[in-house]
Amino acid sequence: MKRYLLILLCALCLLAGCTGKPQSQTKELFAMDTVMHLTVYSQEDGVLKQGEEEIRRLETLFSVTDENSDIARLNQSKGQWVTVSDETARLLTLAKEYAKQTEGRFDPTVYPAVMAWGFTTDQKRVPSQEELDGLPTLVDYNQIEIKGTQVRLPKEMGVDLGAIAKGYAADRVKALYEAAGVSGILSLGGNVLTIGHKPDGTPFTVAIQDPQNAAATLGVLTLKGGQAAVTSGDYQRYFEQNGVRYHHILDPKTAAPAKSDLTSVTIIADSAAKADAYATALFVAGKEQALSLAKTLNVQAVLVTKDGQIHCTDDVQFTPS
Ligand code: ADP
Ligand code: MG
């Protein structure tokens, strides 16, 4: 089971006996192949359930393993036009935009490569070099055609929204909670998103996990109300063969696990979908390019290199442990 990249620290500030301030309630659920926590400052029944239902609804649209999902139908379409929901068309459009902005380091058409490595199955495997050589030409976000709710992909190609869907789901739950006038903090796997402010006025904080030691943290990030902090790393989802570790963030240029000098990338932004896609992209980019990309893309980043150094862009409120 996936452990957390970011650990919620202060969400459960239960000011017992502090009348007038709503106490928090948290729901834990497993969806989109990860553990999620929804925390809200509200005593209203049903708010947490509403959030959970929204996530499950989105999972039925975007899952690659549920054969009835919009994305699975697109992946089985053999080059034909497929009708998808408005929301899937919008997320595909957004994913194309992020792919363009990151010069294809985040690429939602990475699915053939994900499949070749068996990452969505119980049978992980190392593809032959010959197989790998044929894959990069099948990964190209420019080939996704979208006309309203009609989508087409060339034969042999496929879409995987695994690097953006959790962030997008967090944004949708946030919108729902904002409409209900509820504040709180969401953690969808490594995707943290704050909603409004804590009732006592103190900022939300999240700890960044030490990639070398699951029980330790590297420090604490202070977030503004509404900000997302999303981490991508090579230390949580991987398999080993003949003593070599193969992680799940692929370089679209090689169709193989990205040979990055980074082990973890956390992006702080105003949207979790954006932060999710960019975290994956900056991991692929490696430290030097990640720092300049963060500037161009106008987001904050905390990068952890394989040799344990931490690099923050300007304005990050990070307190090392
Ligand atoms: P996680 O899902 O563990 O939070 P990411 O957000 O980085 O991590 O997403 C990684 C997932 O996205 C992979 O499991 C795979 O399905 C897909 N993926 C892998 N490499 C890329 C890439 N370069 N661009 C887009 N999606 C990717
Ligand atoms: Mg991501």
Side-chain angles (χ1 to χ4, degrees):
M1 185 182 289
K2 184 173 180 182
R3 289 165 181 247
Y4 304 106
L5 297 162
L6 296 169
I7 303 162
L8 292 183
L9 272 188
C10 299
L12 300 174
C13 179
L14 298 170
L15 297 175
C18 192
T19 50
K21 287 176 182 166
Q23 292 192 341
S24 66
Q25 38 171 344
T26 297
K27 182 172 192 68
E28 181 178 298
L29 60 136
F30 189 84
M32 298 184 169
D33 204 26
T34 194
V35 178
M36 304 183 169
H37 288 99
L38 315 179
T39 298
V40 292
Y41 293 96
S42 163
Q43 289 312 94
E44 242 177 80
D45 286 342
V47 175
L48 290 173
K49 187 93 193 107
Q50 239 187 320
E52 176 177 4
E53 280 166 3
E54 179 68 354
I55 292 165
R56 301 218 182 274
R57 184 182 70 79
L58 296 171
E59 188 172 19
T60 64
L61 295 180
F62 307 143
S63 165
V64 286
T65 51
D66 171 353
E67 60 179 33
N68 297 314
S69 80
D70 281 355
I71 297 304
R73 287 188 303 107
L74 180 62
N75 289 345
Q76 296 152 12
S77 64
K78 299 191 170 71
Q80 299 298 308
W81 286 97
V82 173
T83 306
V84 298
S85 66
D86 270 349
E87 210 161 7
T88 301
R90 274 207 305 274
L91 185 55
L92 284 170
T93 306
L94 194 65
K96 275 184 78 172
E97 211 171 292
Y98 292 149
K100 189 169 177 201
Q101 289 168 3
T102 61
E103 293 163 358
R105 293 177 180 99
F106 160 82
D107 191 322
T109 61
V110 77
Y111 189 57
V114 172
M115 285 291 280
W117 289 86
F119 272 118
T120 58
T121 71
D122 290 333
Q123 272 135 27
K124 317 271 189 286
R125 60 186 276 272
V126 181
S128 67
Q129 191 56 50
E130 197 186 354
E131 196 179 346
L132 282 177
D133 288 345
L135 286 168
T137 53
L138 298 178
V139 181
D140 177 8
Y141 63 92
N142 284 305
Q143 304 284 331
I144 310 175
E145 286 181 86
I146 306 168
K147 284 187 186 157
T149 55
Q150 297 284 304
V151 184
R152 185 166 68 175
L153 260 187
K155 245 185 189 168
E156 319 281 323
M157 285 183 61
V159 161
D160 179 341
L161 296 175
I164 188 173
K166 292 190 287 288
Y168 178 78
D171 286 335
R172 296 317 308 154
V173 175
K174 177 185 169 190
L176 223 139
Y177 286 174
E178 276 178 344
V182 170
S183 64
I185 184 163
L186 314 171
S187 174
L188 277 50
N191 297 244
V192 172
L193 183 59
T194 65
I195 306 155
H197 296 276
K198 283 205 276 184
D200 68 357
T202 57
F204 287 110
T205 56
V206 289
I208 295 186
Q209 190 186 308
D210 182 347
Q212 317 280 356
N213 177 0
T217 60
L218 292 178
V220 173
L221 269 177
T222 302
L223 298 179
K224 297 198 177 85
Q227 272 185 329
V230 178
T231 301
S232 269
D234 63 1
Y235 54 95
Q236 296 209 301
R237 288 183 193 244
Y238 60 83
F239 69 96
E240 277 173 349
Q241 194 168 301
N242 300 328
V244 182
R245 192 184 270 204
Y246 299 95
H247 64 80
H248 75 313
I249 302 175
L250 306 178
D251 183 341
K253 287 208 172 85
T254 61
K259 288 202 164 77
S260 181
D261 54 356
L262 297 170
T263 186
S264 132
V265 173
T266 301
I267 300 291
I268 300 113
D270 53 3
S271 138
K274 182 197 274 183
D276 196 357
Y278 287 0
T280 306
L282 267 61
F283 181 92
V284 172
K287 188 192 98 187
E288 284 310 318
Q289 290 182 23
L291 286 170
S292 62
L293 264 172
K295 235 180 222 153
T296 320
L297 298 169
N298 201 20
V299 291
Q300 298 171 17
V302 179
L303 311 177
V304 184
T305 59
K306 290 220 161 62
D307 57 7
Q309 291 173 40
I310 303 171
H311 299 266
C312 296
T313 57
D314 299 340
D315 308 332
V316 176
Q317 279 190 275
F318 180 70
T319 313
S321 303

